[in-house]
Amino acid sequence: MTLHLHLLSDSTGETLELIAKACLAQFDEVDVVRHLWPMVRSEGHLDRVLDDIERRPGLVLYTLVNSNIRRELEQKTRRRGIHTVSALDPVVDALSAVLNQQAKARPGRQHALDAAYFARVDAIQFSIAHDDGIGWENWEEADIVLAGVSRTSKTPTSIYLANRGYKVANIPLVPESPPPASLFSLKHPLVVGLTTNPDRLIQIRRNRLLSLNQAPETDYVDTDAVAAELAFSRRIFADNGWPVIDVTRRSIEETAYAIVKLCNERIDAAAEAGAR
């Protein structure tokens, strides 16, 4: 079946897109056509959106904090027979009851230009500037350093973590070119090793070569050479006692959350040690 999913927000709609993606993952064989309607903050704008929704009816998922606009949406969709769901109401209502506070009803408040926002921007800039072994002189400033052979998702994982406020550097481990000695004496960053299944790694590398129109048969994808690379990286991880994450069957998000968990455990351990 085909579903027209209308995401209607008085802010960017980013939250709705994440909620919709998580919920739709539970259903198979559904052709979903998404329609994003951001920054709906007036009745006139709402009416124009509703006219379009009526031409392509489906489900309306919304986040609106303005009570007047909400009331207009609910009344007009009811009259037109359009099904609507408020994505955040149950959670906001529960928080309001537990905290004994009224919600502020400010659209897009999670996107405020506060200290956390600028820290995240700083982390992204740092991670881009310290990709692929660049800027090793500044690695001590990082929160996390990722190490692994080529094509073990170091860069995308770094950027994902940076979007969550972590300063991340990453370095490829190449047997013919040992990493700088400073990697083994870092104090502040958590160094994490990334590894993967050799067959999967060869497949990813082969696809990479094909996308670049390069020869598909080189040492880069040779079975023995790849096995030697992975063994080299595992020895480094073991010799330095770094935690290791196998990314073979993990998405970037899953790998990142495993790293965040390691960071939190490290912080908790330091706090306990300080308390003693």
Side-chain angles (χ1 to χ4, degrees):
M1 63 174 295
T2 298
L3 169 68
H4 286 278
L5 181 62
H6 298 273
L7 308 176
L8 194 155
S9 173
D10 49 17
S11 185
T12 63
E14 179 183 354
T15 301
L16 280 175
E17 289 188 296
L18 292 172
I19 293 172
K21 181 180 179 181
C23 294
L24 287 168
Q26 305 301 317
F27 299 90
D28 297 324
E29 299 180 3
V30 179
D31 180 20
V32 180
V33 182
R34 292 179 177 84
H35 308 276
L36 179 62
W37 307 101
M39 301 298 175
V40 179
R41 298 182 178 180
S42 70
E43 293 182 21
H45 190 178
L46 176 63
D47 285 337
R48 293 193 297 274
V49 169
L50 287 176
D51 288 341
D52 206 312
I53 291 174
E54 194 167 22
R55 287 192 290 272
R56 294 174 292 186
L59 174 64
V60 177
L61 192 63
Y62 70 90
T63 53
L64 296 171
V65 297
N66 182 288
S67 58
N68 293 329
I69 302 298
R70 284 170 58 98
R71 191 180 310 111
E72 286 292 316
L73 172 68
E74 291 162 359
Q75 291 176 351
K76 291 177 179 178
T77 52
R78 192 180 305 116
R79 287 200 295 267
R80 301 182 191 203
I82 299 170
H83 190 57
T84 62
V85 177
S86 175
L88 299 181
D89 274 6
V91 178
V92 172
D93 290 345
L95 286 171
S96 182
V98 171
L99 299 173
N100 197 27
Q101 291 185 31
Q102 285 292 109
K104 298 297 184 182
R106 297 177 191 168
R109 200 173 187 219
Q110 71 272 32
H111 302 299
L113 302 183
D114 55 11
Y117 173 87
F118 290 107
R120 190 164 66 250
V121 171
D122 190 35
I124 293 170
Q125 292 175 338
F126 181 93
S127 300
I128 292 173
H130 295 82
D131 182 41
D132 208 31
I134 298 173
W136 57 268
E137 306 90 343
N138 305 317
W139 281 351
E140 194 62 48
E141 300 173 21
D143 300 308
I144 301 164
V145 175
L146 302 180
V149 302
S150 174
R151 314 313 296 177
T152 47
S153 304
K154 296 183 300 298
T155 295
T157 304
S158 296
I159 298 302
Y160 188 94
L161 288 165
N163 272 282
R164 275 140 188 80
Y166 294 91
K167 291 183 177 181
V168 187
N170 74 77
I171 180 171
L173 297 179
V174 182
E176 298 78 14
S177 178
S182 61
L183 175 64
F184 308 110
S185 60
L186 295 173
K187 302 299 182 184
H188 175 257
L190 171 68
V191 183
V192 179
L194 301 183
T195 189
T196 189
N197 175 274
D199 294 334
R200 176 62 173 158
L201 181 58
I202 290 171
Q203 179 185 2
I204 292 172
R205 288 184 173 185
R206 200 181 300 279
N207 290 339
R208 175 65 172 168
L209 292 174
L210 290 172
S211 71
L212 297 173
N213 294 319
Q214 295 183 4
E217 298 302 330
T218 67
D219 285 346
Y220 190 59
V221 293
D222 178 77
T223 301
D224 293 337
V226 169
E229 277 187 72
L230 290 169
F232 170 74
S233 67
R234 285 195 295 269
R235 282 196 301 272
I236 291 180
F237 301 155
D239 289 346
N240 291 276
W242 297 335
V244 180
I245 296 175
D246 188 331
V247 302
T248 305
R249 300 184 183 278
R250 294 179 188 262
S251 65
I252 299 301
E253 295 87 348
E254 289 170 329
T255 300
Y257 284 126
I259 294 168
V260 169
K261 183 180 179 182
L262 289 171
C263 287
N264 291 336
E265 290 172 350
R266 188 185 191 213
I267 292 170
D268 291 343
E272 288 181 10
R276 296 195 202 100

